[in-house]
Each structure stands twice: as structure tokens, then as C-alpha cells.
Amino acid sequence: MELRVRVARPWLRVLAVAALFLLSTGVGPSHVAAAQPSGAGAVCPDTAPAARSSDTAQSQGTGVRIPRDEAPHRDRAEWWYYVGHLRGVDPQGRPHCYGFEQVVFQFLDKGPEPLYIGHFALSDLTRGTFQYAGTPDSHPIPDTTDGFALDTGDWTMRGGSGKATLHAALPEYELDLQLRSAKPAVLHGDRGTIPYGPLGTSKYYSWTSAQAVGTIVDHGVPVQVTGLSWGDHQWGDNDFTIGAGWDWFSVQLTDGKQYMLYFVRDTSGKIVETIGTLIHPSGRTTKLSPAKLSTTDTGSWTSPRTGITYGSGWQVTVPGGRLTVTPNLVDQELDLLSTVGAVYWEGSVSVRGEIAGSPVTGIGYTEIYPPRPT
């Protein structure tokens, strides 16, 4: 993957951290940017069905345990992350289609109190536009067990045991969702512990079939929406200032199969760690061999804001087949460097390909976090 990265100097990173604390105390507005349309309104992708399943499973032995590990930990970095695809019809009978991302980061190494950063992005696939914001906050770790109750300013995230409620807002959109998982929690790697390349190791599990119901207020018009979401929770003693990056894919196929694929890169952009999980329609999981996984860019896009060149379209090899992953909007970059110190591409994608000789289609989300030379 070709990357042309405009890297912040160390003193700019210091200023970015200082800005986090100014914002968290209410000094200055949170950073909001609306991207120009990436072209005509995209075709609304088919929403893959969420399989019906029984109660959520817990790991055995010393691995990640649900619901205990839904609550915040005392590690250096932790995040709770939801993405998904939503459809709805407004009161005038007009159909709408969206992709969304809401994530809360917890950092314990940025100051005297924990630092919380919320990211929220809305891909309006009907209008062909993308809008996003980042909101920092600072407060003690929430005192919860068997669940989480996270605030970043007015944005909220609550949940546990495969259920969650989300609230976040942008100048032209407001999201309120209720999520309920239809499959057990998926523990990646070794009972929920993954190798993380130069970042060490990380705890990581996912809710890969979260059925979503709620409302999006779209330019002042309430749209009742339903759809399919994906939730991640990851934590560890990870120092992201070392400049490592990754390509990450969540894939939800219409035949009920799902994939989590993680390609971790060192500061030069070389893939140094590959993690993959196949989730079967029943909820059973298979740990995938790194030797049978690969990703290749099929195109590129250069951000007019940051100068970063990202892959734009990917050919992904999995055991028994290949998947072609296509962005539903070309420009889904979150340029939050000036406010919360991060810039990456995270967006709604469509998936097609062939597995075991049969054609497959589906939806997904892709995150490209570019490595940065140190």
C-alpha cells in the first residue's frame, strides 16, 4: 500500500494533546468537518441478515470473559467501537441509507485523569456525503461492572452482554440506536488475546451481529432506521506513538458468514502481523492461518486535506476464496489531527467474491490507519 503521509512534528503532537485537555474542560468547540460529496449518491448495499442465536458465550480458563470484561480496565489504551449499516424511510416516504461509526477511546497515560475521546462519523449513502467529529473528555474511570457507561461530552455509549445504546450528534445528523447481538461474543486470537506486531499484544473480542433499531435525525427530519451493526472492544498496554498502523476489515456476508481481518503494519508500512477470524452462521468460530490471508490495494485515493494516499478498494484472500472490497464512498477520511490527534480512513464498504466455488456478497467496514515514521 502506497502511503504519502504528512507527519506532525513532535511539538505539534504536544499541542494536539494540549488541545485535548482544553477541549475537555469546555474551552473551544469540538472539531467538526463535513466532507464534500464523493460523487453521486451510492447504491444502498444489501444488509446481511443477523443470524438467530442463543445466549452469549463466555470463554473458558484465563481468557476474556463476558460480561465481566465489558467494563473498563486499567490498561494504557482501550476502546469500545460500533459500526454498521442502517436503512429507513422518512415521514414523506423517501428511503434513506447510512453507514455509521461511533467509538470511545480511554487513555490512562495522557494526564492526571483518564482521557476519553469520542469519534462519530455518518456516511449518508443516499446523499453521497460524509460528516464526522471528535469530542474529548476527561473524568475518572466509570465505576461499572459487567458493562460500560461512557460519556464524551454529550455523546453517550451504554451497554453490556451484547446490548448497547448509542447517542451522538453532528451539525446535520443525530443518532440514537439500540443494539442487540444475535450471536455470541467472538474472542479473537487465543481466547481473546491477539498478537499486535510492534504494539505487543491486545485483548480483543467482537459482537459481529448486532441488530440495530433507532432514529437518525437527518437535516431536521426523523428517519426510523433498522440494520446490522458490528461492535468491537479492545484493550492493552499499547503505545500508539511508536507509529504502527493497520488495515482492518469487518465483513458480514448475506450467507451468514462473517470475517474479522487485521493486518498490522510497522512504521515502514510493511505488514508484520496478520490476525483473522471466520464466524460461521451458527456463531462457531475458526481461527484463520495468517499464511492464508492477504490484502492488496486495487486502487488509491489521495486526501485533499491531509495529503495521505490510502488504498481505495481491496482484494482480500481468505481460505478457500477471495473477496473484493469496494468503498461505498471514496472520501471517508476522519481528519481529526488538529483536535484529537488522529487521522485515518474508516468507511462503509460493499463486498463480493467467491468462497469455496460459490459467489458471495455482503457489507462491511474498513479501517486504514496509516503508519507514521518516527
Side-chain angles (χ1 to χ4, degrees):
M1 181 175 71
E2 178 190 11
L3 288 172
R4 293 197 294 273
V5 185
R6 187 171 65 195
V7 181
R9 297 289 188 268
W11 63 270
L12 286 178
R13 285 197 288 269
V14 172
L15 289 178
V17 172
L20 297 179
F21 287 102
L22 288 174
L23 289 168
S24 69
T25 56
V27 180
S30 61
H31 179 82
V32 179
Q36 294 299 312
S38 301
V43 175
C44 191
D46 290 335
T47 301
R52 294 181 177 84
S53 179
S54 58
D55 294 338
T56 57
Q58 296 187 14
S59 71
Q60 302 298 315
T62 59
V64 168
R65 295 187 63 85
I66 306 298
R68 181 196 67 185
D69 281 319
E70 298 266 69
H73 299 81
R74 268 55 180 177
D75 294 77
R76 177 183 289 184
E78 184 166 12
W79 57 96
W80 298 256
Y81 161 102
Y82 289 91
V83 293
H85 293 85
L86 305 169
R87 294 171 179 258
V89 178
D90 66 26
Q92 288 71 45
R94 295 172 297 205
H96 294 263
C97 181
Y98 310 94
F100 80 92
E101 170 203 356
Q102 185 176 352
V103 56
V104 176
F105 299 90
Q106 174 183 283
F107 296 108
L108 302 187
D109 61 346
K110 305 297 184 185
E113 278 202 325
L115 175 64
Y116 293 86
I117 300 175
H119 292 187
F120 175 46
L122 203 290
S123 300
D124 190 329
L125 303 180
T126 305
R127 298 176 187 268
T129 59
F130 181 68
Q131 190 174 108
Y132 61 91
T135 301
D137 207 340
S138 185
H139 51 72
I141 296 175
D143 185 15
T144 57
T145 58
D146 297 345
F148 52 91
L150 305 167
D151 298 324
T152 52
D154 294 332
W155 300 353
T156 60
M157 184 182 287
R158 305 279 188 272
S161 300
K163 300 177 183 178
T165 60
L166 310 179
H167 170 77
L170 295 163
E172 295 171 330
Y173 300 93
E174 185 170 354
L175 174 76
D176 285 284
L177 281 185
Q178 298 82 48
L179 307 176
R180 182 185 181 93
S181 181
K183 286 185 180 180
V186 173
L187 309 186
H188 302 293
D190 180 11
R191 293 177 295 179
T193 300
I194 64 167
Y196 213 13
L199 295 165
T201 63
S202 176
K203 302 294 187 182
Y204 180 26
Y205 68 89
S206 301
W207 302 102
T208 64
S209 295
Q211 297 168 322
V213 177
T215 303
I216 291 178
V217 179
D218 181 341
H219 292 74
V221 177
V223 182
Q224 302 299 312
V225 293
T226 60
L228 184 62
S229 181
W230 176 294
D232 273 358
H233 185 194
Q234 194 169 340
W235 66 97
D237 186 27
N238 309 124
D239 179 5
F240 294 101
T241 65
I242 67 174
W246 54 79
D247 302 5
W248 174 89
F249 300 87
S250 66
V251 174
Q252 297 163 310
L253 299 177
T254 55
D255 66 2
K257 295 188 187 72
Q258 300 165 333
Y259 292 88
M260 187 290 298
L261 306 170
Y262 219 145
F263 301 92
V264 182
R265 298 179 183 269
D266 65 15
T267 57
S268 72
K270 179 183 177 182
I271 294 174
V272 293
E273 198 77 65
T274 300
I275 309 101
T277 307
L278 166 63
I279 302 95
H280 300 271
S282 65
R284 181 176 63 87
T285 62
T286 298
K287 181 180 176 180
L288 301 177
S289 168
K292 296 183 178 180
L293 301 172
S294 67
T295 179
T296 304
D297 298 347
T298 58
S300 63
W301 173 76
T302 300
S303 166
R305 294 177 298 277
T306 65
I308 299 174
T309 296
Y310 299 89
S312 186
W314 305 269
Q315 190 80 29
V316 179
T317 300
V318 296
R322 292 180 180 270
L323 301 172
T324 298
V325 180
T326 304
N328 290 322
L329 294 175
V330 173
D331 184 353
Q332 297 180 90
E333 181 192 47
L334 290 86
D335 177 14
L336 298 168
L337 188 61
S338 64
T339 53
V340 295
V343 56
Y344 61 103
W345 194 100
E346 175 97 15
S348 163
V349 298
S350 293
V351 182
R352 60 180 175 82
E354 185 176 285
I355 304 292
S358 298
V360 294
T361 60
I363 57 175
Y365 251 74
T366 295
E367 178 176 295
I368 307 298
Y369 188 79
R372 303 178 310 283
T374 54

